[in-house]
């Protein structure tokens, strides 16, 4: 296997003056370039903690995390991070929100601005570029947040419960959109979710974590046949229910 992201024997502990909380214990997995991985596990088990280490935002106490052989702390510019809230700035237009990251990182080059325009056009937000976030639905806002992240050309995308603030139908739609966009842009994805259907429909592999401290309890390869899939449509595939039941049993 050609490893892109390597997570090797990670341990993470929170120290407070009064206590020590071990959040992640001996977690290892490898991700190939272009693969989509979901991490599922009970609430509070350590998923966000692990993801922040993969993002190079928090340092693990033990173990190594590398992207193409280099410590993730040294390649944060190759990693994009998306959260539950879209964090769009209400006083900036959609366009100004999309280029915000480029502006902060002083990367407002002609080439980067053209890529931002392309993304807005390709993913149906071009006509809203002069609108303000409050004019857009929750699903569209989340797509804007994704495009703002993609404008920085990350190779690895990390999504932490990115759809959980949306109502059910919107999240099915948006998770499908995000799947399609990330596949088309050839990104690698590691996402955290507590929603089993979301994990099954969007991933090539689901890693089930135990309750805290998180250890890898089970790894489930997901295959609906073929390359690109339609995450909303595979919900009616008989294999979907089998994967769901399998992961559900592991979690309960
Ligand atoms: P998840 O994302 O799986 O819900 P988290 O990674 O956020 O879980 O948290 C894992 C455990 O670590 C929880 O018990 C949480 O209370 C604890 N924790 C998270 N952040 C901190 C922190 N900054 N200080 C101390 N404990 C924390
Ligand atoms: Mg979390």
């Amino acid at each position: 296997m050609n490893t892109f992201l390597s997570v090797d024997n990670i341990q993470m502990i929170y120290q407070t003056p009064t206590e020590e909380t071990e959040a992640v214990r001996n977690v290892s997995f490898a991700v190939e370039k272009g693969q989509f991985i979901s991490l599922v596990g009970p609430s509070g088990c350590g998923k966000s903690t692990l993801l922040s280490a993969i993002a190079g935002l928090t340092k693990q106490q033990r173990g190594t995390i590398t992207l193409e052989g280099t410590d993730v702390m040294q390649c944060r510019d190759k990693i994009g991070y998306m959260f539950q809230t879209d964090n769009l700035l209400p006083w900036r237009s959609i366009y100004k929100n999309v280029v915000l990251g480029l502006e902060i990182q002083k990367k407002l080059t002609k080439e980067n601005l053209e890529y931002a325009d392309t993304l807005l056009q390709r993913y149906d937000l071009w006509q809203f570029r002069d609108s303000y976030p409050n004019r857009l639905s929750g699903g569209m806002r989340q797509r804007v947040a994704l495009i703002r992240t993609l404008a920085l050309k990350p190779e690895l995308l990390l999504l932490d419960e990115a759809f959980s603030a949306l109502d059910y139908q919107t999240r099915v739609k948006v998770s499908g959109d995000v799947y399609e966009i990330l596949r088309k842009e050839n990104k690698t994805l590691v996402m955290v979710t507590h929603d089993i259907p979301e994990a099954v429909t969007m991933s090539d592999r689901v890693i089930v974590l135990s309750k805290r401290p998180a250890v890898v309890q089970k790894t489930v390869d997901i295959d609906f046949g073929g390359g690109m899939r339609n995450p909303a449509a595979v919900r009616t595939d008989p294999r979907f229910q089998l994967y769901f039941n399998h992961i559900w049993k592991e979690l309960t």
Side-chain angles (χ1 to χ4, degrees), residues 145-191:
L146 178 66
I147 284 170
R148 179 186 53 193
T149 307
L150 292 178
L152 293 161
K153 298 183 179 164
E155 292 175 42
L156 172 66
L157 264 291
L158 305 176
L159 268 50
D160 192 350
E161 308 268 10
F163 316 114
S164 53
L166 305 169
D167 64 81
Y168 178 74
Q169 286 193 334
T170 306
R171 69 190 285 174
V172 171
K173 168 84 171 71
V174 177
S175 59
D177 289 347
V178 168
Y179 174 89
E180 190 186 328
I181 294 171
L182 295 182
R183 281 280 196 240
K184 282 187 178 157
E185 302 297 322
N186 292 317
K187 303 301 178 188
T188 306
L189 171 67
V190 177
M191 61 181 245

Side-chain angles (χ1 to χ4, degrees), residues 69-92:
T70 307
D71 191 311
V72 282
M73 289 260 170
Q74 261 83 61
C75 30
R76 278 190 224 159
D77 57 341
K78 289 186 181 169
I79 303 171
Y81 207 108
M82 253 180 79
F83 306 91
Q84 185 177 338
T85 51
D86 55 52
N87 290 316
L88 298 182
L89 300 176
W91 61 88
R92 287 175 75 111

Side-chain angles (χ1 to χ4, degrees), residues 14-16 21 23 41-50 160 192 212:
Y14 289 107
Q15 309 267 7
T16 63
T21 306
S43 177
C45 79
K47 301 181 292 296
S48 296
T49 304
L50 180 59
D160 192 350
V192 160
R212 190 178 65 78

